[in-house]
Each structure stands twice: as C-alpha cells, then as structure tokens.
Amino acid sequence: LEYLGRAFNDADRNISTPSATFSLVATMVGGGVLSLPYAMSQCGLVLGSVALLLSGAASAWTLDMLVDCARCTGRDTFELVGHAAFGEGCKTGTVALVFVVCWLVLVAYFVLLGDLLVPIAELAAPDLAKSWSPEALRRSLVCVATLILSPMCFKSNLHALRFMCFASVASVVVVGFLIAVRACQNFGVQHFVWILLPDHSTLAVAVEPHYRMWPADWGQAVYVFPMFALSFLCHFNALPTHQELTRPTRFRIRRVFAITVLVTSALYLFVGIFGYLYGSSCTCGNILLNFSKQDPLVAAGRAALGSVLMLNFPLICQPCRNSLYRLIAGRLLGAR
C-alpha cells in the first residue's frame, strides 16, 4: 500500500518527465565537475570510469529508496520522512544536515569563484597582477563578489532566477567542449600546462603524453572516491520533483532518475577523461587552473561559469538560511 502526499491527479502536479529530468540534471551538474579530471588522474582511466559509473548507479538506487520512503509514509519532504521514521529528533537532525550540506556548498562556491575570477581580472587589468599579491587579489575579488550577491541572498522570493538551471547546464557543457578542444589539440604530444603553487601563483610545466589506466597510489585513489559520489548529489531536490511530477507512477519516477544519471554520467565522463588527457600527471583540482590565463577560449568559459555560479549562489543560500531559521525557531519554541 502506498500513500501520496499530493493526489495522483492533483492540478498542482504539472511537471512533465523531460522537465523533471532536466531539473535534476541541473541540480547535479555544477562547478564540481571541474574536479573530476583530478579524480580521474588519481584513479586512472579504467578505475576512474568504473568508480564514476558505480557512483551514478548508487545515486539512482538511493534516489529510488528515498522516494519509496516517501510513498510508504505519505510524506513529501526530508524532514517529514525523518519524523515518520524516528520522531522529532530525526526531524531536527535532518534540518541540521541540510543546513550543513548547503553551508559547505556555499564554501565550495567561494573557493571556485576565487579560482575563476582571478584569471579574468588579471586578463582584463594586467596591472593588478603587478600591484597585488595573488592571495590579496583573490580575497579582494571574493569580498567584492560577496557584496554584490548579498542583496539577493536576503530576498524571500527568487522567482526571477528560476531559469538559472538552463544557464548552469549550458555553461558546464560549453566549458566541457572547450576542455575537449584543447585536449584534442595537444593529445599525444608534449605540451605545457599551468599549475597552482601554495602561494596561489602559477607556474608553467611541460607534461609528457603518459596516461595511466590504473592508480599509481591506491591510497590517493581511495581519497578521491568521494568526488565521484558527491558529483551525483541531487537528493534534496528528488522529493519536490516527485511531488510535482504528473502521473507519478513508479515507472515514470524511476525513468526520470535513470535518464538523469545516464545523461549526467556521460557529461562527467566527457569532462573527466578529456580534462585528464590535457593535464596528464599535473592535473589540478580545478582543471581550468591548468590552462593559461591568456587563453581566450578558456577565459570565455571562466567568465560564463563564474557568472552562473554567482547567480546560483542565492539559490543555495536560501535553503541554507531557511534551515538555520527552522533550527533556531524550533529551539526557541522548545524552550518555551
């Protein structure tokens, strides 16, 4: 016996299968895709590809289990599913976990924004690199980005940014294409890539076209496995999607999850493999750091992805802020 929090034929169920699939793909795909070439370089092409595909299969399986829990209890949110399973304590714990996950994503966004904005600023104003240290310039740009984004982070309604999911996926696809172009141009020949030093300065090094199929260090390979798993994270958007899907049969929701994982896996394999073929043994944690700051194609990709990340930032900040509010309000009400 199954229960739906919203009736099967409810008028508010107005999301089609393609729309639901694209929404979940947009939730999965983001700036984290830039770290997959590094994970691939540590695992080797064979193990890295297998680990990525297994992570996608595990994500589809856990998404299906989450929806099963919702349909067995008639609850359509993380909090209510947790409450139905283990009571009020689990409900509070679930809200806290959502807050922590969103907070860590915001921290990762700031790190990535620094990586993207510094090369753009140095290309637009070359004198900055002479008068500012790399670390000082990075911190200043992140502070400026924070000031620009702050007004949007306090809005209660972000309806104007509802189309950002399309821009997000498009920017990642463009960046993946640019990486593939440069990788094909330098495939099989010695070429120079850039690496990031501890003081955030960069250095050009020559790399040989040697590509590993298996890890050189299995401990390091295990260390990067979470990168593959986290790249398929979209579970916080699965239940809202299930709640709004038209005719939400088991087959339809499972098809949405399967197509989502297949499309995302193909994109991740594309970026991960071509990024590793370009960076080889010197692949950075952010593959765009391996490219020259003067490369016009990559500069365009950095600008596109940086703009999208800045506009996506309020979309992540809102659930983080709301979760923190519910935690504080719950504690205050409990104290009374």
Side-chain angles (χ1 to χ4, degrees), residues 92-334:
T92 303
T94 302
V95 177
L97 285 174
V98 171
F99 167 73
V100 170
V101 169
C102 292
W103 175 259
L104 293 177
V105 170
L106 293 177
V107 172
Y109 267 39
F110 273 127
V111 173
L112 186 56
L113 275 174
D115 290 341
L116 294 172
L117 294 179
V118 169
I120 296 173
E122 292 181 347
L123 184 63
D127 291 339
L128 287 175
K130 301 176 183 178
S131 56
W132 293 64
S133 68
E135 182 64 21
L137 179 59
R138 181 188 181 90
R139 292 183 179 182
S140 300
L141 289 173
V142 170
C143 288
V144 170
T146 303
L147 291 175
I148 294 174
L149 294 172
S150 293
M152 288 189 290
C153 292
F154 290 99
K155 287 184 175 292
S156 58
N157 189 338
L158 297 175
H159 184 68
L161 298 179
R162 64 191 183 280
F163 295 118
M164 283 310 302
C165 61
F166 298 98
S168 178
V169 175
S171 66
V172 172
V173 171
V174 169
V175 169
F177 174 76
L178 297 178
I179 293 171
V181 169
R182 291 293 184 249
C184 291
Q185 290 173 342
N186 295 279
F187 180 72
V189 299
Q190 184 189 68
H191 60 281
F192 284 90
V193 301
W194 294 80
I195 59 173
L196 187 68
L197 300 177
D199 63 352
H200 292 291
S201 61
T202 55
L203 176 69
V205 296
V207 295
E208 299 291 339
H210 299 315
Y211 312 113
R212 290 194 298 268
M213 298 294 109
W214 300 98
D217 182 348
W218 284 88
Q220 191 64 20
V222 172
Y223 177 77
V224 301
F225 276 175
M227 292 185 181
F228 295 118
L230 291 174
S231 62
F232 289 96
L233 184 64
C234 72
H235 296 61
F236 51 83
N237 200 28
L239 293 183
T241 299
H242 173 258
Q243 189 177 22
E244 298 180 17
L245 182 67
T246 57
R247 295 182 289 110
T249 62
R250 284 295 187 96
F251 173 78
R252 282 170 62 81
I253 191 65
R254 284 173 176 167
R255 183 172 62 179
V256 167
F257 293 154
I259 296 175
T260 297
V261 170
L262 287 174
V263 171
T264 307
S265 297
L267 178 60
Y268 285 169
L269 279 174
F270 183 82
V271 175
I273 291 175
F274 278 109
Y276 173 47
L277 293 181
Y278 180 81
S280 188
S281 59
C282 294
T283 304
C284 291
N286 174 358
I287 184 60
L288 292 184
L289 295 175
N290 285 123
F291 293 90
S292 170
K293 297 176 182 179
Q294 308 302 320
D295 190 322
L297 278 179
V298 178
R302 288 189 181 107
L305 189 57
S307 301
V308 169
L309 287 179
M310 289 183 67
L311 292 174
N312 273 342
F313 190 89
L315 300 178
I316 304 297
C317 186
Q318 189 182 54
C320 183
R321 183 193 66 198
N322 292 343
S323 298
L324 180 61
Y325 171 78
R326 289 199 298 273
L327 284 174
I328 296 174
R331 296 290 293 179
L332 292 177
L333 291 175

Side-chain angles (χ1 to χ4, degrees), residues 5-161:
R6 181 176 289 175
F8 187 88
N9 293 319
D10 194 292
D12 289 332
R13 289 188 176 274
N14 52 17
I15 293 184
S16 63
T17 298
S19 297
T21 302
F22 192 88
S23 174
L24 291 179
V25 170
T27 305
M28 283 188 183
V29 174
V33 70
L34 300 178
S35 65
L36 291 178
Y38 173 74
M40 195 71 71
S41 72
Q42 299 302 308
C43 293
L45 290 172
V46 174
L47 181 62
S49 299
V50 171
L52 191 147
L53 294 175
L54 288 178
S55 297
S59 178
W61 180 43
T62 52
L63 285 168
D64 188 56
M65 285 196 298
L66 182 60
V67 169
D68 280 348
C69 292
R71 295 174 77 103
C72 289
T73 60
R75 315 296 173 88
D76 280 326
T77 67
F78 263 121
E79 300 169 42
L80 294 180
V81 170
H83 185 271
F86 299 108
E88 189 66 28
C90 186
K91 177 182 176 181
T92 303
T94 302
V95 177
L97 285 174
V98 171
F99 167 73
V100 170
V101 169
C102 292
W103 175 259
L104 293 177
V105 170
L106 293 177
V107 172
Y109 267 39
F110 273 127
V111 173
L112 186 56
L113 275 174
D115 290 341
L116 294 172
L117 294 179
V118 169
I120 296 173
E122 292 181 347
L123 184 63
D127 291 339
L128 287 175
K130 301 176 183 178
S131 56
W132 293 64
S133 68
E135 182 64 21
L137 179 59
R138 181 188 181 90
R139 292 183 179 182
S140 300
L141 289 173
V142 170
C143 288
V144 170
T146 303
L147 291 175
I148 294 174
L149 294 172
S150 293
M152 288 189 290
C153 292
F154 290 99
K155 287 184 175 292
S156 58
N157 189 338
L158 297 175
H159 184 68
L161 298 179

